[in-house]
């Protein structure tokens, strides 16, 4: 063997040593000498960027699995259990850095770009689409097979025709295969649809009170009579292609009176506000969007607009994450709502709590 090797040869040599190390492992999936390999960052993992996980014999097999999925950029590997977690992100300038790694005993983290493509064999530089993975056929040939986790309620039904209405785990294609819990509805039809279950019911109120000119409160008058009421949303209809909320869809909402308030609308018929100036008695219409424990938030770029007569936005308050947004608006009658579409964004910093959601496996 030559004393000096190129970068590719060095990586191939490391690859060989890693393979050999697996044959000498005892209680763990890789032997302790793996700490000598620069490809593996010891006792570290990159959380909340997982696109798939499986059990493998060692980090080399984990690296191979990563290479079979186009968007996989790094992996976490549990040296004790063999759990291989494939990530859609890695450390890179201007994005994630070492501070995003979490110290985790028994885990190793690795950037797949540092591994030699020879590991992937026929799947090196494959062209499988985002929802497919590469399977070698030998002789430099491969096929693209469907990922085992469905990406829509229609696909849940396709993978398991006996599926009924309920909570399922999906991986969304346009969100880096983000794993999310979705309620599938109308599974007994050819067109099932998706809802996001709200662990905390989202509440809105159109108060049954008015205060013309901020002089004295009375019950609702004129055209506003009997329009007041409360709204409780338990699930919201979402379009999983882009996670837009269908705000006027009310299948899983309860209303206490005649006025069926659209999701994320804060309205009242309290008093008129002239020239964009809040009157002294303020507004009474409120709505609270609460996406806590759903894995989704309202993006910081979401804007709000007024509608109705002499309407005004008194306040839009959001928590530090964007999971909770409280609106206080009103007019005579009027209020506020999301400007344009209400688009939800993944919240990668916390895991969705375990629940009774079903994990359907699609045949390959």
């Amino acid at each position: 063997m030559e004393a000096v090797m190129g970068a590719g040869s060095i990586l191939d040599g490391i690859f060989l040593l890693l393979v050999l190390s697996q044959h000498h492992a005892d209680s763990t999936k890789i032997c302790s000498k793996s700490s000598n390999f620069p490809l593996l960052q010891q006792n570290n993992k990159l959380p909340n960027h997982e696109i798939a996980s499986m059990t493998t014999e060692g980090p080399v097999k984990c690296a191979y699995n990563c290479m079979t999925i186009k968007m996989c950029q790094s992996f976490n590997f549990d040296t004790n259990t063999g759990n291989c977690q494939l990530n859609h992100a890695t450390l890179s300038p201007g994005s994630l850095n070492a501070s995003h790694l979490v110290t985790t005993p028994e885990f190793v983290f690795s950037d797949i770009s540092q591994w030699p493509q020879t590991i992937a064999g026929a799947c090196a530089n494959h062209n499988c689409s985002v929802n497919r993975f590469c399977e070698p056929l030998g002789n430099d040939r491969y096929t693209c097979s469907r990922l085992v986790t469905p990406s829509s309620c229609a696909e849940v039904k396709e993978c398991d025709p006996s599926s009924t209405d309920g909570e399922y785990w999906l991986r969304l294609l346009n969100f880096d295969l983000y794993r999310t819990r979705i309620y599938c509805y109308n599974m007994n039809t050819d067109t099932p649809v998706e809802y996001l279950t709200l662990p905390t019911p989202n509440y809105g109120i159109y108060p049954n009170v008015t205060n013309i000119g901020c002089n004295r409160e009375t019950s609702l008058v004129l055209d506003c009579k009997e329009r007041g009421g409360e709204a409780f949303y338990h699930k919201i209809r979402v379009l999983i292609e882009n996670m837009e909320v269908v705000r006027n869809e009310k299948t899983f909402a309860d209303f206490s009176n005649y006025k069926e308030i659209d999701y994320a609308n804060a309205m009242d018929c309290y008093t008129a506000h002239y020239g964009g100036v809040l009157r002294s008695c303020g507004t009474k219409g409120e709505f609270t969007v609460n996406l806590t424990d759903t894995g989704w938030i309202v993006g910081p770029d979401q804007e709000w607009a007024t509608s109705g007569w002499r309407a005004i936005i008194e306040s839009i308050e959001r928590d530090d994450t964007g999971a909770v947004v409280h609106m206080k608006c009103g007019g005579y009658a009027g209020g506020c709502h999301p400007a344009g579409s209400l688009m939800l964004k993944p919240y990668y910093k916390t895991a969705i709590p375990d629940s009774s959601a079903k994990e359907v496996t699609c045949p390959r």
Side-chain angles (χ1 to χ4, degrees), residues 33-59:
K33 290 185 179 180
S34 67
S35 60
N36 296 325
F37 300 131
L39 296 181
L40 305 174
Q41 296 192 37
Q42 301 295 314
N43 299 316
N44 277 296
K45 67 181 292 187
L46 179 64
N48 303 322
H49 290 82
E50 178 188 323
I51 56 176
S53 66
M54 66 286 295
T55 299
T56 65
E57 298 83 0

Side-chain angles (χ1 to χ4, degrees), residues 125-329:
N125 301 311
H126 66 86
N127 289 312
C128 296
S129 60
V130 67
N131 61 333
R132 302 273 168 166
F133 71 96
C134 178
E135 284 192 298
L137 299 176
N139 299 322
D140 296 325
R141 295 171 55 246
Y142 66 85
T143 185
C144 296
S145 300
R146 181 171 60 184
L147 293 173
V148 297
T149 303
S151 57
S152 68
C153 291
E155 196 165 309
V156 168
K157 184 173 180 179
E158 178 185 347
C159 295
D160 181 6
S162 67
S163 297
T164 57
D165 289 3
E167 301 281 347
Y168 294 88
W169 289 107
L170 304 182
R171 286 194 178 273
L172 304 192
L173 299 184
N174 294 333
F175 293 89
D176 295 326
L177 297 182
Y178 184 59
R179 185 173 185 260
T180 187
R181 189 176 60 226
I182 292 292
Y183 184 85
C184 292
Y185 183 60
N186 281 342
M187 292 292 278
N188 61 338
T189 71
D190 293 332
T191 55
V193 290
E194 292 81 15
Y195 286 80
L196 186 67
T197 296
L198 305 168
T200 302
N202 288 201
Y203 173 74
I205 181 170
Y206 187 128
N208 189 28
V209 64
T210 192
N211 191 345
I212 301 173
C214 292
N215 293 319
R216 180 174 62 90
E217 284 192 353
T218 67
S219 59
L220 293 176
V221 298
L222 303 176
D223 292 342
C224 293
K225 283 184 178 180
E226 299 181 349
R227 295 184 68 185
E230 295 175 292
F232 299 87
Y233 279 83
H234 307 282
K235 303 180 193 296
I236 49 176
R237 173 84 168 91
V238 290
L239 307 179
I240 58 170
E241 296 81 8
N242 57 7
M243 285 305 286
E244 177 185 350
V245 178
V246 183
R247 296 192 305 106
N248 63 354
E249 212 288 334
K250 303 176 176 71
T251 300
F252 295 100
D254 294 320
F255 302 93
S256 67
N257 210 330
Y258 167 76
K259 182 63 178 177
E260 294 191 353
I261 304 167
D262 284 354
Y263 185 75
N265 268 31
M267 298 184 66
D268 69 17
C269 190
Y270 194 59
T271 195
H273 306 272
Y274 294 89
V277 178
L278 180 69
R279 294 295 292 268
S280 60
C281 55
T283 63
K284 294 292 183 180
E286 297 183 50
F287 197 100
T288 299
V289 170
N290 191 336
L291 304 175
T292 303
D293 289 337
T294 65
W296 298 89
I297 61 172
V298 176
D301 56 346
Q302 179 67 53
E303 297 182 348
W304 308 86
T306 59
S307 60
W309 195 68
R310 303 298 184 184
I312 197 168
I313 298 174
E314 182 170 344
S315 63
I316 304 287
E317 298 176 350
R318 52 183 287 145
D319 70 355
D320 292 339
T321 66
V324 181
V325 181
H326 178 74
M327 293 151 275
K328 198 167 186 297
C329 309

Side-chain angles (χ1 to χ4, degrees), residues 8-39:
S9 298
I10 292 173
L11 288 175
D12 287 339
I14 291 172
F15 165 52
L16 176 60
L17 289 172
L18 280 168
V19 173
L20 292 174
S21 75
Q22 293 181 102
H23 294 287
H24 293 84
D26 39 43
S27 62
T28 61
K29 290 292 180 179
I30 57 174
C31 67
S32 59
K33 290 185 179 180
S34 67
S35 60
N36 296 325
F37 300 131
L39 296 181

